[in-house]
Amino acid sequence: MAPRGAVRLSLNKPSYAVCVVGVETLVAVHSDVPEGAETFGVSGSSGVEVFTVRGPSRVTKPAGKARWPLEGDTEVVVSVDTVSKDLDDLQVTVSYFGPREGRALGHSVLYLTGVDVSLDVDTRRTGKARKSRSDKKTWHWGPEGHGAILLVNCDKESPRSTEPDLRHSQLTSLDDLQDMSPMVLSCGGPDDVFRRHKLVLQVSAPDSQRLRVFCARGGTGLAHYQMVLGPARLSYAVDRQPGEREIAFHVEGLSFPDAHFQGLVSLSVSLVDTGALSEVDLFTDTVVFRVAPWIMTPNTQPPLELYVCSVMDSHGSNEKFLDDMAYLAMKANCKLIVCPRVENRNDRWIQDEMEFGYIEAPHKSFPVVFDSPRNRGLRDFPYKKILGPDFGYVTREVQFAGSSSLDSFGNLDVSPPVTVGGREYPLGRVLIGGSFPKSSGRRMARVVQDFLRAQRVQAPVELYSDWLSVGHVDEFLSFVPTSDRKGFRLLLASPSACLKLFQEKKEEGHGEAAQFEGLKHKAKRTINELLEDRHLRKDSLHVQKCIDWNREVLKRELGLAESDIVDIPQLFFLKGAYAEAFFPDMVNMVVLGKYLGIPKPYGPLIQGRCCLEERVRALLEPLGLRCVFIDDFLSYHKLLGEIHCGTNVRRRPFGFKWWHVAP
């Protein structure tokens, strides 16, 4: 019996086969054998490689003989190395012999037609689809890895559209092709072959929901591009034109990696023989893509745009704050973008509404805003005002009854690149706040956590932030860039450092210097009074224990030493079971390169200078930083937020390529 998938031979008439260049074809030399035959010989015309397989051996000529024994474990494999100019222009001849020397007992002739069928993508990550026969079915991480990358087409190229491009099954702009990954189908060979054979592009049902494939037939205008694979379309019989040797396709991603999607999708093309009673797949080529992850950028990346809201409500206008932000942006050489009241509906907490990141493939990169589930006054701003050409959008929704303050993105941060126990995190690690382990407190919504973990390149760390009234990690930590070898410091709010500073000032004879000096409508508190306030001391020391717990987690999970951490003086008080900042929370700052926009703490004045500001300057300015203290007391602090909560920064993407990560 002929091996499954092998070409059968006949002594009475020629056999015919179509072979894909570079792909081995099994020839069934036992399918029609003359009576008395014990050996055979095989030869091929120019352009055909013939070799015989016996067990583990694979050779082109018999050892010391001119013929092969007709034993059951002997197989013949042929391969063509060129595309045929005409039908049946390549030949293989098998001759059968008896036990004695003499003429052959019979001959079988096999005519071959060589065709070039190959589905190729950017497996080498150079930005272009290149032909390859090797390992297109797998995807590997690391600098020596390989495999194609797919961008989620989540921006909006056409100004006439109101939705991201991935919502459209038709192109709305030719520019949209730049957001898609190239894929090329090689289909060279005699035209007559493709009259009896067809090429079928296929995708599985699950993957069809995660990608689309477009192809232009008949021209290259916008109307000529049609979706050939995607949702509800699992296969496409390729429309090959006479003489056509390559067909270009464009592939777009529709879904980011998530809890039930690891990010890998595959496509295949099959050469199908339609001449038989039933169609037969002669050859299938498969390629795999990985969908590019959404990547956050830490404070150590240079700022590009500073976002802030203009508000006017019962708490007054923040016009002075906007002026201070304009000054800071100018010093940092980044663009200031003010969200007007008509767009923010007096929702000033722009950090809580969204987080900026980006996606990248070898051929293209663009920023993507992640819209939080909080959905307050700013809920429409990311979608209606930021989504646009080469600026993508993604969100994760939760039921309102299941959301909490911890779903806001002041509770989402990312560290600079770190190395932990020899393991590198070249894109840093995402930080989120939650409840104390094994407790039943507030946590970030599972759908958001699942999304962040599924991106894989910035392995998230969950911290304990539920001890705060608002519950955000930006209330007790921040990262700042430094000019030394380490490249950054972790800033932690520290009640102990503040109490120690006040004790020092008391011992120096400044016990009557007052906190909140210069603030109207706020009672002043002397250093002596603050140190004698047992409730404030008790509350602040409780908070210190919460921060110290996080300190140990951060040291362990980010590979930090004590010298990498700077303690920023700060007091807290408890309101019920939750903590709030006693004076403007200085770690809740905006970082624009070396310029830090820090909430003005209104600390005790000693020789005309705020001792809290002076201590922070002494801690940070030797590291190459510039501290700019900004009054946010009425506009933000009294509303349980600070400068970081009221600003947002889009930063330059990493130079490091995420596909070089080894997660």
Side-chain angles (χ1 to χ4, degrees):
M1 178 179 292
R4 183 179 181 184
V7 178
R8 296 179 62 89
L9 299 180
S10 172
L11 295 170
N12 300 319
K13 59 182 181 180
S15 300
Y16 300 89
V18 173
C19 295
V20 176
V21 171
V23 177
E24 296 178 352
T25 300
L26 191 62
V27 179
V29 295
H30 304 86
S31 56
D32 190 4
V33 179
E35 186 175 350
E38 295 184 2
T39 62
F40 71 94
V42 59
S43 63
S45 62
S46 176
V48 181
E49 183 181 8
V50 180
F51 53 92
T52 304
V53 180
R54 295 193 71 197
S57 301
R58 185 184 182 94
V59 295
T60 55
K61 293 183 179 180
K65 301 179 181 179
R67 301 169 188 169
W68 294 98
L70 269 170
E71 296 175 356
D73 63 346
T74 302
E75 296 179 340
V76 171
V77 175
V78 300
S79 176
V80 302
D81 59 14
T82 185
V83 176
S84 294
K85 295 181 180 179
D86 300 298
L87 280 177
D88 311 324
D89 60 356
L90 304 172
Q91 181 177 323
V92 174
T93 301
V94 179
S95 301
Y96 297 93
F97 301 89
R100 299 178 182 179
E101 296 291 332
R103 296 176 59 185
L105 301 179
H107 303 277
S108 294
V109 177
L110 171 62
Y111 290 104
L112 303 175
T113 303
V115 297
D116 180 19
V117 176
S118 179
L119 195 60
D120 293 289
V121 291
D122 183 18
T123 56
R124 299 178 188 176
R125 303 166 184 168
T126 63
K128 295 183 179 180
R130 299 182 185 276
K131 198 161 188 177
S132 173
R133 293 284 182 190
S134 61
D135 210 10
K136 293 182 282 187
K137 296 182 181 180
T138 61
W139 203 96
H140 291 288
W141 297 87
E144 304 302 322
H146 67 268
I149 294 165
L150 200 60
L151 295 175
V152 176
N153 195 11
C154 58
D155 68 340
K156 179 173 68 75
E157 298 292 352
S158 173
R160 296 185 299 275
S161 175
T162 60
E163 297 180 310
D165 294 330
L166 57 80
R167 300 278 181 87
H168 300 286
S169 59
Q170 297 291 327
L171 290 188
T172 59
S173 168
L174 288 176
D175 291 338
D176 202 24
L177 297 173
Q178 304 304 313
D179 300 338
M180 303 184 191
S181 295
M183 183 171 71
V184 176
L185 172 61
S186 298
C187 51
D191 291 338
D192 287 343
V193 169
F194 295 99
R195 294 191 181 100
R196 177 172 168 169
H197 299 77
K198 65 180 180 180
L199 294 164
V200 180
L201 204 61
Q202 296 172 304
V203 63
S204 69
D207 285 354
S208 72
Q209 303 300 313
R210 297 163 179 155
L211 60 78
R212 284 196 192 96
V213 180
F214 290 89
C215 184
R217 311 305 282 148
T220 56
L222 187 61
H224 294 107
Y225 283 90
Q226 300 295 321
M227 184 189 80
V228 297
L229 290 180
R233 183 145 192 189
L234 306 183
S235 65
Y236 167 62
V238 178
D239 178 21
R240 179 191 182 274
Q241 300 300 310
E244 199 165 24
R245 300 180 68 87
E246 286 187 347
I247 302 175
F249 295 90
H250 304 268
V251 189
E252 70 172 349
L254 303 180
S255 302
F256 281 97
D258 216 324
H260 303 294
F261 173 43
Q262 294 184 352
L264 293 175
V265 292
S266 62
L267 293 163
S268 63
V269 67
S270 295
L271 178 64
V272 181
D273 185 351
T274 61
L277 293 177
S278 60
E279 295 185 345
V280 178
D281 288 359
L282 301 180
F283 169 75
T284 298
D285 201 18
T286 301
V287 295
V288 170
F289 291 90
R290 178 174 287 278
V291 176
W294 180 78
I295 301 171
M296 288 180 64
T297 49
N299 286 353
T300 47
Q301 290 300 110
L304 299 175
E305 295 173 336
L306 172 63
Y307 287 74
V308 64
C309 292
S310 172
V311 293
M312 169 69 81
D313 56 18
S314 59
H315 303 283
S317 167
N318 69 340
E319 184 176 354
K320 176 62 168 63
F321 183 80
L322 297 181
D323 290 341
D324 291 336
M325 289 298 107
Y327 169 79
L328 200 64
M330 180 271 293
K331 296 293 288 185
N333 195 29
C334 76
K335 181 179 180 181
L336 176 67
I337 297 177
V338 177
C339 174
R341 289 189 288 275
V342 69
E343 293 173 4
N344 65 52
R345 289 176 286 190
N346 276 328
D347 180 2
R348 70 196 68 207
W349 310 115
I350 197 166
Q351 177 64 48
D352 288 343
E353 182 60 37
M354 61 191 187
E355 185 67 54
F356 289 111
Y358 69 97
I359 58 176
E360 182 176 23
H363 68 283
K364 182 72 180 285
S365 174
F366 58 82
V368 176
V369 61
F370 186 10
D371 191 0
S372 79
R374 73 187 282 268
N375 290 338
R376 289 167 61 179
L378 278 160
R379 64 180 179 270
D380 296 329
F381 180 69
Y383 192 83
K384 292 186 176 180
K385 297 300 178 180
I386 296 180
L387 170 64
D390 286 341
F391 211 130
Y393 173 93
V394 64
T395 190
R396 288 295 180 269
E397 296 288 346
V398 298
Q399 296 295 326
F400 180 77
S403 65
S404 76
S405 172
L406 273 67
D407 297 329
S408 298
F409 284 170
N411 196 34
L412 174 62
D413 208 331
V414 64
S415 79
V418 292
T419 299
V420 186
R423 181 174 180 180
E424 295 183 353
Y425 296 90
L427 301 175
R429 299 192 70 177
V430 164
L431 305 175
I432 60 175
S435 59
F436 195 76
K438 299 183 180 179
S439 72
S440 58
R442 298 169 296 174
R443 297 188 70 195
M444 181 175 281
R446 175 55 58 186
V447 291
V448 178
Q449 291 196 55
D450 286 346
F451 173 84
L452 294 169
R453 296 183 193 283
Q455 308 314 304
R456 296 195 64 184
V457 296
Q458 294 179 304
V461 177
E462 187 171 15
L463 300 173
Y464 173 36
S465 66
D466 189 34
W467 52 273
L468 288 152
S469 289
V470 177
H472 295 175
V473 294
D474 68 356
E475 297 177 75
F476 66 89
L477 68 80
S478 184
F479 294 93
V480 293
T482 61
S483 55
D484 58 5
R485 183 176 180 181
K486 181 66 180 182
F488 73 91
R489 293 292 189 277
L490 167 64
L491 309 186
L492 288 179
S494 176
S496 293
C498 190
L499 292 172
K500 182 180 178 181
L501 173 64
F502 285 172
Q503 184 64 37
E504 290 175 1
K505 298 307 174 185
K506 175 181 178 179
E507 293 173 0
E508 292 170 2
H510 303 295
E512 292 304 310
Q515 182 73 39
F516 305 124
E517 187 71 52
L519 272 178
K520 297 179 180 179
H521 314 300
K522 180 67 179 177
K524 300 177 183 60
R525 301 285 301 279
T526 67
I527 289 177
N528 289 334
E529 290 172 339
L530 294 175
L531 290 174
E532 292 168 3
D533 188 332
R534 289 181 297 172
H535 292 294
L536 180 61
R537 178 180 288 271
K538 181 180 177 181
D539 290 354
S540 289
L541 292 179
H542 166 76
V543 166
Q544 186 66 59
K545 290 180 181 179
C546 297
I547 294 174
D548 285 344
W549 190 92
N550 285 299
R551 186 190 201 95
E552 295 306 310
V553 173
L554 289 161
K555 287 166 63 177
R556 182 177 67 248
E557 297 296 337
L558 301 183
L560 302 180
E562 277 296 326
S563 58
D564 302 324
I565 303 173
V566 178
D567 291 309
I568 302 299
Q570 187 65 49
L571 293 181
F572 292 84
F573 68 96
L574 294 183
K575 193 170 184 178
Y578 298 104
E580 297 177 8
F582 179 69
F583 55 78
D585 189 353
M586 290 186 287
V587 297
N588 195 298
M589 64 180 68
V590 62
V591 179
L592 301 179
K594 67 180 181 180
Y595 292 94
L596 311 180
I598 305 173
K600 184 176 180 61
Y602 285 97
L605 296 179
I606 298 174
Q607 296 178 352
R609 303 176 73 90
C610 171
C611 66
L612 290 171
E613 291 185 20
E614 289 300 291
R615 179 55 56 92
V616 171
R617 290 187 195 277
L619 291 170
L620 300 183
E621 294 197 343
L623 299 172
L625 299 166
R626 296 292 179 267
C627 299
V628 180
F629 290 92
I630 296 170
D631 180 9
D632 75 341
F633 196 90
L634 295 178
S635 296
Y636 294 89
H637 172 72
K638 287 195 68 175
L639 304 177
L640 301 185
E642 308 287 359
I643 293 177
H644 187 261
C645 307
T647 58
N648 213 313
V649 183
R650 183 170 76 86
R651 302 182 184 276
R652 185 185 302 167
F654 285 102
F656 182 89
K657 305 304 181 186
W658 65 264
W659 49 89
H660 290 167
V661 170

